[in-house]
Amino acid sequence: MRFPTVIALNKCDRPGARERVLEFLQDKSRYCPAVPCSASIDALLVRDRTQQKIQYLDAATEIIELETNAPSIKPARNYFTQWKQSAGTLDALSLAVSRARPRYVFVVSDLDTLEGALAKRYHEIGQSKNIGPLADCIPLHPNASVNDVFHALKSLGLGGDFVRAEALDRTLSLRRVVKRHERIDENTCVIRIATNKKSHWQSSYHSSTTT
């Protein structure tokens, strides 16, 4: 699974939905978590809040009426009473984001000094003062591979085709060759990617450090 997944069980405001959803939630064979929600209830609440008919905080279960008979009041309160939770849209998104911790890749141009890959650009424009090692960081999605690092470098101006990649462990002492589609994890801390062509600001190789 490339990206962590959360199942958003939408339309939980519909008649009969609660029984089916509770039955689904009891299924222990599910490979990812599920969150009951109602996008239509959330949409009503946001619209009434925008029109200053209610006061409402996202993912809350309380509403303050500013105008009598605001369209969202009755269906939202019925939903909150039935489900004992918020409308769920933000809850589903927040859970998905919390499961998708990114991989941070520090792109460097030298495997030994860990000089940032953009260091030569900084030198060219006279902004290299106080720039230390691991100065350039790229966030990647969870389960990113060496190939994803290569394409991230390409977007920064790396020239040529992929030739070879080497990695260091977290202690920066054990060096090994890594495959292009090998996944990046905490134990693949430094990667050096070689290509058959370089841009004017590149050194012979590009490297990247991950955490």
Side-chain angles (χ1 to χ4, degrees):
M1 184 171 59
R2 183 170 181 177
F3 295 99
T5 303
V6 171
I7 300 174
L9 300 172
N10 194 23
K11 304 184 186 301
C12 284
D13 56 309
R14 298 291 183 87
R18 182 173 175 81
E19 290 75 18
R20 293 191 294 272
V21 168
L22 291 178
E23 181 180 356
F24 179 82
L25 292 175
Q26 291 174 355
D27 181 6
K28 303 303 182 182
S29 65
R30 288 182 291 109
Y31 65 90
C32 60
V35 180
C37 62
S38 172
S40 63
I41 295 294
D42 256 332
L44 281 173
L45 290 167
V46 171
R47 185 182 66 184
D48 281 355
R49 181 178 62 188
T50 302
Q51 296 175 354
Q52 298 184 341
K53 296 179 180 180
I54 63 170
Q55 287 183 356
Y56 169 73
L57 295 176
D58 292 327
T61 56
E62 295 183 3
I63 310 168
I64 299 176
E65 296 183 60
L66 301 179
E67 182 179 302
T68 305
N69 298 322
S72 64
I73 296 295
K74 184 176 180 179
R77 285 179 172 167
N78 287 341
Y79 183 90
F80 297 157
T81 300
Q82 182 182 34
W83 285 95
K84 312 298 183 185
Q85 66 169 55
S86 72
T89 306
L90 184 60
D91 295 331
L93 290 172
S94 298
L95 180 58
V97 170
S98 70
R99 300 185 74 227
R101 184 176 181 270
R103 295 290 181 193
Y104 295 101
V105 180
F106 295 90
V107 186
V108 299
S109 59
D110 188 281
L111 194 60
D112 297 314
T113 66
L114 303 181
E115 182 183 50
L118 303 181
K120 293 185 182 299
R121 285 183 175 178
Y122 300 142
H123 285 297
E124 290 173 359
I125 61 177
Q127 295 184 359
S128 60
K129 186 177 180 180
N130 297 326
I131 296 178
L134 306 180
D136 303 313
C137 180
I138 303 173
L140 294 172
H141 63 77
N143 302 324
S145 67
V146 174
N147 192 53
D148 293 311
V149 179
F150 170 67
H151 284 291
L153 289 171
K154 291 278 284 187
S155 71
L156 292 173
L158 178 70
D161 299 319
F162 182 95
V163 173
R164 177 186 174 90
E166 293 179 286
L168 297 175
D169 64 1
R170 296 187 67 173
T171 66
L172 306 182
S173 60
L174 179 62
R175 182 174 300 195
R176 64 189 179 91
V177 175
V178 292
K179 296 180 180 179
R180 183 167 180 169
H181 296 289
E182 186 169 332
R183 198 170 91 174
I184 304 301
D185 58 26
E186 292 84 354
N187 295 318
T188 312
C189 294
V190 180
I191 298 175
R192 180 175 66 183
I193 296 179
T195 64
N196 58 10
K197 183 180 178 181
K198 60 180 181 178
S199 301
H200 71 281
W201 54 271
Q202 294 175 238
S203 57
S204 299
Y205 293 96
H206 265 276
S207 308
S208 57
T209 302
T210 68
T211 62

